[in-house]
Amino acid sequence: MKLLLLGLVTLPSLFFAQKHDFTWILGYDGGEDISELDSFGLSLLNFNPDTVLDITVNKIPSHGYNRTNTAICDRQGNLLFSSNGVNIYDKNYGIMEGGKNLNRNEGAGYLLQQGVLSLPHPRDTNLYAFFHARKGHGIFVTQTWYSEIDMRENDGLGAVVKMEDLVQDTLIPGRITAAKHGNGRDWWILLEHYCRTNEGCIQNYFYRVLLTPEGTKILKQPIFRARLTQTGAGQSFFTPDGTKYIVSHAHRFGEPTYIDIYDFDRCRGWLDNKRTIESAISTDSNAGSGIVISENSRFAYFIMWEQIIQYDLWANDIEASETIVAEYDGFIQYGRSDFPLATRFFKGHLAPDNKIYINTANSTQYLHVIHNPNEKGLACNVEQRGVYLPTYNGFSIPNHPNYRLGKWEGSPCDTLSPISSTEQVAYNEMNFFPNPSTGFFQLELDEDIPLSQLEIRFYSLVGQQVGVFRGQESFDLSGFASGIYVTEIWVKGKIFGREKIVL
């Protein structure tokens, strides 16, 4: 059975791009005994670069995809594997070798939004990195795991060849998301600690996981002026250009809903310049829920149950740009036994056709669509129930990063070329602050390095060395001309890292 959703889409940049997110899988488990007229089974959305969105139905798999959902394709857009947080399934929907019993089954899959993530591994084009979270007490994550999947195994069906514990700590539920490193090869993965006030927590922080050909390295960063969340329900994404990290928060009913916006440095995975925007008071009919970013990285869409709010991330005052672009029109779908199912807004995702698709806060057969998310205000064109699915979808939307983001041109880390045969850049934690500065800079490192071994070199953007400092961690550059400088940190004659500063 094949359905075509009419409506032109433009994909000019995707013909030669990586198509890892070109198949979405939504729906409940089917089974061979389910009739063709029944609305259960899997809906497969195929975003191949044609003039239509192709939707097919598969009623054979005996599993479903609830809130936990990932499916990844090869570079040509062919499905490789998927996961509902319970198991990892190969392209034929069988359980992949080594991918069984990641978590307990909670109906049609695991109930954890953004609880799994799949990435092409920087080491090998046949290798994929897989991250999955496990809940402990309540809805909060207490364990996060890292796996490697080799697609050469089992005649191309793949196998999990490595699975290891990544982080054992209480984290905000789900929200595993990633952005390409500035070198265009590696990945940054962010995990947010859950600060439990009843345990005396007063300082929240992020785990920043760096995925390189050698594997994973974990760094931490404190969150200053953090609001201590109660439930942590929400969604998080990087802007498609990788310059910002944005997360939505929903508290218990009767408390404010809000979003946090951070600037993001793709070289060192550093979050900075945090801004918090409060929105409406959360109620039983209008709780804060999702956040999605437009393809041009300009507009953030805060999805509440009965409203969709647009913010202009390029505005001088982001909060003042708040515009309601959709309000729930009250439509009800009647399911089996005429049970009423409200089609309120829930979570969203930017698709390869540059449209945003939003699921409903009930198990229905509809997706809402923002047809022109790059446009300001009502011109973004929100169509409620713009897609009718052949099967029911239970709160599910896939979790993908921007696979097509390239290297950060002009940055200190935009190359993979070795500096020389005697030096090697390590991925070390470093930070110059304040940055920008009017003259004074302080260097902060993640390792205790004797000052006698430390040398800092400053270069102009054209590569001319303009200063060298030895044996010190603070610098007065007020005598330098205003501009951007590249710093190199050297320890014992080898480069420790690079950083860009603005004077």
Side-chain angles (χ1 to χ4, degrees):
M1 177 179 179
K2 179 177 288 190
L3 301 179
L4 296 181
L5 176 70
L6 298 179
L8 296 177
V9 296
T10 57
L11 300 172
S13 63
L14 300 184
F15 289 98
F16 305 103
Q18 300 188 37
K19 304 175 182 178
H20 298 294
D21 55 349
F22 267 43
T23 294
W24 293 11
I25 306 176
L26 306 174
Y28 291 109
D29 56 303
E32 295 182 8
D33 59 334
I34 296 215
S35 72
E36 185 69 21
L37 298 177
D38 203 320
S39 298
F40 286 80
L42 302 182
S43 293
L44 279 63
L45 282 65
N46 191 334
F47 291 93
N48 272 324
D50 298 320
T51 58
V52 294
L53 170 62
D54 184 29
I55 303 178
T56 57
V57 180
N58 191 322
K59 290 186 174 289
I60 301 302
S62 58
H63 63 270
Y65 296 79
N66 208 310
R67 301 190 188 191
T68 311
N69 186 333
T70 188
I72 194 165
C73 302
D74 61 19
R75 291 172 61 96
Q76 289 72 44
N78 303 303
L79 179 65
L80 294 177
F81 62 88
S82 61
S83 178
N84 60 1
V86 178
N87 302 301
I88 302 173
Y89 303 96
D90 61 35
K91 64 183 179 181
N92 296 328
Y93 302 96
I95 297 177
M96 181 179 287
E97 178 184 340
K100 188 175 183 180
N101 296 331
L102 306 178
N103 288 296
R104 63 183 180 272
N105 198 324
E106 296 179 327
Y110 204 48
L111 296 173
L112 189 62
Q113 195 73 35
Q114 293 186 285
V116 287
L117 181 70
S118 304
L119 300 173
H121 203 289
R123 184 189 312 149
D124 189 322
T125 56
N126 295 295
L127 200 64
Y128 289 81
F130 180 83
F131 299 85
H132 77 275
R134 179 175 296 167
K135 293 178 290 188
H137 42 273
I139 64 173
F140 295 100
V141 169
T142 56
Q143 292 179 313
T144 305
W145 297 78
Y146 162 70
S147 302
E148 294 180 358
I149 297 173
D150 193 332
M151 294 308 303
R152 290 167 292 203
E153 300 290 327
N154 296 315
D155 297 323
L157 293 180
V160 179
V161 295
K162 178 180 182 179
M163 184 180 293
E164 62 185 22
D165 184 17
L166 183 69
V167 172
Q168 289 219 20
D169 196 357
T170 303
L171 305 175
I172 294 291
R175 295 194 191 168
I176 305 176
T177 189
K180 192 72 69 69
H181 188 282
N183 62 22
R185 180 195 65 188
D186 303 333
W187 291 93
W188 290 106
I189 301 96
L190 285 190
L191 307 171
E192 185 175 351
H193 174 255
Y194 175 61
C195 200
R196 304 191 64 171
T197 53
N198 62 346
E199 295 179 354
C201 177
I202 58 174
Q203 178 64 70
N204 217 357
Y205 54 87
F206 280 100
Y207 287 98
R208 295 146 51 236
V209 181
L210 179 62
L211 177 65
T212 73
E214 289 71 39
T216 58
K217 178 175 182 177
I218 300 175
L219 304 167
K220 280 187 179 181
Q221 180 182 345
I223 306 173
F224 298 104
R225 302 181 306 281
R227 183 183 305 219
L228 306 181
T229 59
Q230 298 296 319
T231 66
Q235 206 171 5
S236 64
F237 284 108
F238 291 92
T239 53
D241 62 8
T243 62
K244 289 181 175 63
Y245 173 76
I246 304 179
V247 57
S248 65
H249 299 270
H251 277 199
R252 296 169 180 166
F253 294 150
E255 296 187 353
T257 59
Y258 62 97
I259 59 175
D260 286 330
I261 303 171
Y262 298 85
D263 292 339
F264 186 69
D265 184 331
R266 290 170 57 201
C267 284
R268 54 196 176 100
W270 191 260
L271 298 158
D272 201 2
N273 190 25
K274 180 186 176 185
R275 289 140 288 174
T276 297
I277 299 176
E278 279 196 13
S279 190
I281 298 297
S282 177
T283 67
D284 59 357
S285 64
N286 204 22
S289 185
I291 192 79
V292 194
I293 318 300
S294 61
E295 178 273 336
N296 64 358
S297 299
R298 178 174 179 178
F299 296 108
Y301 292 89
F302 186 24
I303 304 167
M304 304 185 72
W305 286 5
E306 294 191 343
Q307 292 180 330
I308 300 176
I309 302 173
Q310 182 194 78
Y311 292 97
D312 187 347
L313 301 176
W314 296 357
N316 292 329
D317 187 341
I318 297 176
E319 186 169 8
S321 72
E322 177 179 293
T323 304
I324 297 174
V325 295
E327 296 194 69
Y328 171 53
D329 61 10
F331 182 88
I332 300 292
Q333 178 179 12
Y334 288 92
R336 287 186 170 186
S337 302
D338 289 328
F339 188 81
L341 300 169
T343 58
R344 294 185 177 97
F345 314 120
F346 193 55
K347 307 288 186 189
H349 206 293
L350 178 66
D353 61 5
N354 295 335
K355 298 183 180 183
I356 290 174
Y357 294 83
I358 300 169
N359 59 14
T360 63
N362 265 314
S363 177
T364 74
Q365 290 177 257
Y366 292 101
L367 295 177
H368 309 292
V369 184
I370 305 179
H371 289 280
N372 305 307
N374 287 347
E375 300 299 325
K376 189 175 180 65
L378 296 178
C380 71
N381 188 14
V382 178
E383 182 184 6
Q384 298 190 42
R385 299 171 306 281
V387 172
Y388 181 78
L389 299 170
T391 64
Y392 282 95
N393 177 43
F395 303 89
S396 191
I397 203 80
N399 186 28
H400 295 290
N402 180 9
Y403 297 111
R404 291 169 283 279
L405 182 60
K407 62 184 180 180
W408 181 11
E409 298 286 355
S411 72
C413 61
D414 65 354
T415 178
L416 295 170
S417 301
I419 300 169
S420 73
S421 59
T422 60
E423 55 183 282
Q424 182 178 358
V425 176
Y427 292 99
N428 294 292
E429 177 64 19
M430 65 199 72
N431 181 37
F432 282 92
F433 65 92
N435 189 11
S437 171
T438 58
F440 179 82
F441 291 88
Q442 178 74 31
L443 174 63
E444 182 182 72
L445 301 173
D446 67 342
E447 296 184 19
D448 187 13
I449 299 173
L451 291 180
S452 60
Q453 300 177 4
L454 195 62
E455 179 178 290
I456 313 297
R457 304 176 184 178
F458 291 86
Y459 296 87
S460 68
L461 287 181
V462 297
Q464 179 183 6
Q465 188 176 109
V466 294
V468 178
F469 296 83
R470 297 179 179 88
Q472 62 189 81
E473 295 176 302
S474 58
F475 313 94
D476 183 2
L477 305 184
S478 57
F480 285 31
S482 298
I484 300 174
Y485 293 89
V486 176
T487 67
E488 289 185 349
I489 297 91
W490 289 71
V491 179
K492 292 184 178 181
K494 291 187 176 181
I495 193 166
F496 183 84
R498 286 194 179 97
E499 185 56 64
K500 182 184 291 186
I501 64 170
V502 180
L503 177 64

